[in-house]
Amino acid sequence: MITFERVTKRFEPWTAVDGVSLTVEAGEFCVLIGPSGSGKSTLMKMVNRLIVPDEGTIRVGGEDIAMLRPEDLRRRMGYVIQNVGLFPHWTVERNIATVPTLLGWPKARVRDRVSDLLDLLKLDARRFRDAYPHQLSGGQQQRVGVARALAAEPAILLMDEPFSALDPITRGALQAEMTAIHKATGTTIVFVTHDMDEALKLANRIAVLDHGRLIQFGPPLEILHRPANDTVRDLIGREDWGLKLLAVETVGQRVRPDVEKVPGAPLPIDAPLRQAIAEMVARGTDRLPVVDARGRPAGVLHLSDVVRS
Amino acid sequence: MRPGSTTVRWRMAFLTDRLTLAVAVLVALVLGMPLLKPLFAAAFPALDRPLYEADSFLALTLDHLALVGLSSLMAVVAGCAAGVFVTRPSGAEFRGILEAVATMGQTFPPVAVLAVAVPVMGFGPKPALIALTLYALLPIVENTVAGLEGVPEAVLESARGLGMGPVERLFRVELPLAAPVILAGVRTAVVINVGTAAIASTVGAKTLGLPIIVGLNGSNQAYVIQGAVIVAALAVVLDFGFDRLAALSVRWRRG
Ligand SMILES: Nc1ncnc2c1ncn2[C@@H]1O[C@H](COP(=O)(O)OP(=O)(O)OP(=O)(O)O)[C@@H](O)[C@H]1O
Ligand SMILES: [Mg+2]
């Protein structure tokens, strides 16, 4: 869907992005992570030509984006930034309708689309449709920001640290929303963060950048199990590597297909191991029954299997 | 609530509104000045002619307004255009020059500008128009630049990122957000010009300054008062009017 071919961008004398080659597949949730100044934002902004690369080619759906009019390219992609940047003089409805209006959609269609998006982002239409951005909390503003980016049903959504300014609870809720939206729409998402927990939670694949170079690109488990170098290890955090692993691995990966009867409420098979450990501690037990997606018994999870590597 | 009551209340609000009152006072002064002749005669018994009658106050007021309006309009068009230009990437290098010129325009006292304009353009409303336009330029340019610069970076970035072109960004986002600041500049310019236009009658422009100048030359205090009172009322009306416009331009902040 998005292909970077040896892409370089310099802000003399600094090289912000250095010969990055990378392919983001259609429908993928790709997270860019790296220390501050590693070139994440620069790399992302080259996708919608807010920044033009000095060298290399970027293709979207096979097309070289240097050949497209920037405005047309951008209207096909959603864009969400940390500081939201809602238009303060427009209502929530008009903000969300920005791109459909630019594209000349009929009024009735725009209105319907805004209603759907308010629902999708769990914003009460009666309360928020005609509100102005300053009347919204930070979390609500970013929900509108995401709705605005999704308005014209873009195939690609670019998000630059969209939830970094939010409190942990609001951030968690919006992360869950993003996972659901990604599942429901199949949009290709490129998401910048410097928070490894967020990356592990959201990503299909994580791209680690350092000093403008692509250090590692792989699924969360691979990043955890085979960090390419010390930068990646630092981003994971050496102390709570084990806890991060528990957050990523699921019960299904450790369950014993026993028929043994274990009392207590069962765990869903796709729950993270972290949740299983929490349940074991809370219930004072070392084994829990597990059920599959349809609620049928799927075996037993033993503490000893969780801690075995 | 009865159906008619909101209209009635609205009418009451309109009647007690300070802008309406100021306009009423101005109109009364302009049209009713001749009725005050006995009053001025009593106050200044030494004067043969206690009422300025060479021109009607209505004609003077309209000419005064036309001069202020035209010069302000030209300054708004030129000032906004210049302010927009120097805040675009293509015009950034002219910003220093523009600000220097506009500041210089404002350093000259208006009388000096008028004095310089006369030998070039002769007597009449033309040099006055030029002087007033130059004079109004600085606050408008300054505020246009400040207003456009005050648009938050995140707003501009998302406008760009969502696919607005430069023209759409300017007219749908930047100018509406800068409007309150630009309007404040226009207000300053207009209020200054109402006063300066009075001085312009020294170079032969017919304005409300005429009775004042004539009165000062001929030691006729009544003329001076008649001109000055109307100029003052006019300034107040315009100031209140801009207050109203300013409130409209930020309606979304209360929304
Ligand atoms: N417009 C610019 N002019 C000069 N240097 C720039 C510009 N934009 C970015 N840089 C530099 O390029 C490097 C990469 O910047 P970038 O914004 O991509 O980093 P980042 O990974 O997004 O960092 P952060 O996590 O702090 O947002 C930085 O060293 C930055 O100083
Ligand atoms: Mg960044």
Side-chain angles (χ1 to χ4, degrees):
Chain A
M1 190 67 180
I2 309 171
T3 315
F4 298 85
E5 291 165 16
R6 292 187 301 282
V7 172
T8 295
K9 176 68 194 179
R10 294 185 198 90
F11 297 105
E12 295 299 344
W14 184 261
T15 305
V17 169
D18 192 354
V20 169
S21 295
L22 173 74
T23 297
V24 180
E25 302 296 344
E28 189 169 19
F29 200 133
C30 172
V31 173
L32 306 180
I33 195 168
S36 186
S38 57
K40 307 180 291 292
S41 299
T42 306
L43 189 65
M44 168 174 279
K45 286 179 186 170
M46 288 192 283
V47 177
N48 64 1
R49 290 195 52 188
L50 286 177
I51 294 178
V52 179
D54 295 318
E55 288 164 29
T57 313
I58 298 171
R59 292 179 202 283
V60 169
E63 269 182 296
D64 182 350
I65 61 164
M67 302 299 163
L68 300 172
R69 208 172 72 102
E71 282 79 25
D72 295 332
L73 177 73
R74 290 171 195 155
R75 288 172 197 179
R76 286 168 26 192
M77 300 179 180
Y79 186 54
V80 184
I81 54 177
Q82 180 177 348
N83 296 322
V84 195
L86 295 181
F87 304 120
H89 57 310
W90 288 355
T91 60
V92 164
E93 164 147 40
R94 198 160 170 211
N95 265 284
I96 295 177
T98 304
V99 185
T101 306
L102 287 170
L103 294 172
W105 287 18
K107 280 215 167 67
R109 184 175 169 207
V110 175
R111 222 183 138 70
D112 289 347
R113 182 71 184 139
V114 170
S115 304
D116 291 348
L117 285 161
L118 288 171
D119 277 352
L120 185 67
L121 272 304
K122 306 215 165 80
L123 290 161
D124 177 7
R126 271 168 314 172
R127 196 172 144 207
F128 293 113
R129 186 176 211 115
D130 298 317
Y132 284 89
H134 74 269
Q135 299 169 310
L136 274 51
S137 73
Q140 290 160 351
Q141 288 186 17
Q142 195 53 292
R143 281 172 190 268
V144 176
V146 174
R148 180 176 68 172
L150 290 170
E153 297 174 341
I156 294 173
L157 185 57
L158 306 175
M159 309 181 83
D160 194 346
E161 305 205 28
F163 309 142
S164 305
L166 304 175
D167 68 85
I169 291 176
T170 310
R171 192 185 317 149
L174 272 157
Q175 287 165 348
E177 238 74 272
M178 280 325 296
T179 306
I181 289 169
H182 179 241
K183 272 207 187 111
T185 61
T187 311
T188 307
I189 301 178
V190 181
F191 187 108
V192 168
T193 185
H194 54 243
D195 175 0
M196 186 54 96
D197 288 316
E198 186 169 63
L200 294 170
K201 195 163 163 186
L202 295 174
N204 298 133
R205 279 198 292 172
I206 298 174
V208 185
L209 292 175
D210 190 22
H211 292 99
R213 297 220 176 88
L214 182 64
I215 304 289
Q216 189 168 10
F217 186 36
L221 273 178
E222 184 185 311
I223 302 282
L224 284 176
H225 282 301
R226 289 190 296 281
N229 66 9
D230 281 349
T231 307
V232 185
R233 272 179 217 110
D234 285 339
L235 282 168
I236 296 168
R238 290 161 203 251
E239 275 97 67
D240 48 36
W241 180 87
L243 292 176
K244 294 227 167 38
L245 195 61
L246 288 176
V248 173
E249 286 204 42
T250 59
V251 169
Q253 289 162 302
R254 300 294 169 104
V255 69
R256 267 189 221 178
D258 284 354
V259 284
E260 175 194 3
K261 273 261 179 217
V262 176
L267 277 174
I269 198 159
D270 59 352
L273 285 178
R274 204 172 68 158
Q275 188 185 333
I277 296 282
E279 287 293 330
M280 286 178 182
V281 172
R283 299 186 202 172
T285 175
D286 63 353
R287 60 195 63 186
L288 291 170
V290 177
V291 291
D292 67 12
R294 277 183 261 165
R296 294 173 311 195
V300 177
L301 182 71
H302 292 254
L303 179 60
S304 56
D305 291 339
V306 175
V307 294
R308 133 185 87 82
S309 69
Chain B
M1 200 187 289
R2 283 179 300 112
S5 67
T6 40
T7 341
V8 171
R9 199 173 302 159
W10 189 84
R11 243 179 242 151
M12 285 305 291
F14 178 73
L15 286 177
T16 56
D17 173 72
R18 60 180 199 158
L19 177 60
T20 317
L21 286 177
V23 171
V25 168
L26 176 66
V27 170
L29 282 173
V30 169
L31 298 179
M33 198 61 89
L35 301 178
L36 298 179
K37 191 171 177 178
L39 191 73
F40 284 108
F44 303 102
L47 295 177
D48 288 345
R49 298 160 183 272
L51 183 71
Y52 183 83
E53 281 166 322
D55 307 271
S56 82
F57 282 104
L58 180 62
L60 290 178
T61 306
L62 291 180
D63 282 351
H64 196 107
L65 268 180
L67 184 57
V68 171
L70 198 57
S71 61
S72 302
L73 190 69
M74 295 200 311
V76 166
V77 171
C80 285
V84 166
F85 174 65
V86 299
T87 50
R88 304 303 97 182
S90 53
E93 50 187 314
F94 297 99
R95 180 158 166 196
I97 306 173
L98 177 75
E99 281 177 347
V101 169
T103 314
M104 237 158 56
Q106 183 101 147
T107 334
F108 294 120
V111 180
V113 179
L114 285 170
V116 173
V118 169
V120 183
M121 318 203 54
F123 279 88
K126 256 198 210 156
L129 196 62
I130 300 298
L132 292 189
T133 303
L134 288 179
Y135 229 66
L137 221 45
L138 176 74
I140 294 173
V141 167
E142 231 176 21
N143 283 41
T144 303
V145 171
L148 291 172
E149 302 233 294
V151 178
E153 194 48 50
V155 171
L156 290 178
E157 188 184 338
S158 55
R160 255 156 64 81
L162 292 168
M164 285 194 194
V167 177
E168 284 146 352
R169 286 202 301 273
L170 180 65
F171 286 101
R172 296 195 198 179
V173 178
E174 294 182 75
L175 286 176
L177 288 178
V181 183
I182 298 177
L183 205 58
V186 177
R187 173 191 195 151
T188 309
V190 167
V191 172
I192 292 177
N193 268 0
V194 168
T196 313
I199 306 175
S201 56
T202 50
V203 297
K206 269 204 173 169
T207 70
L208 288 167
L210 205 51
I212 301 178
I213 304 288
V214 172
L216 288 173
N217 284 340
S219 302
N220 187 326
Q221 301 95 316
Y223 286 8
V224 177
I225 292 174
Q226 288 151 21
V229 163
I230 297 180
V231 171
L234 194 58
V236 169
V237 164
L238 289 171
D239 199 53
F240 287 1
F242 273 104
D243 244 9
R244 193 59 49 85
L245 279 180
L248 285 179
S249 75
V250 292
R251 236 178 348 176
W252 51 268
R253 270 187 212 158
R254 284 185 286 122

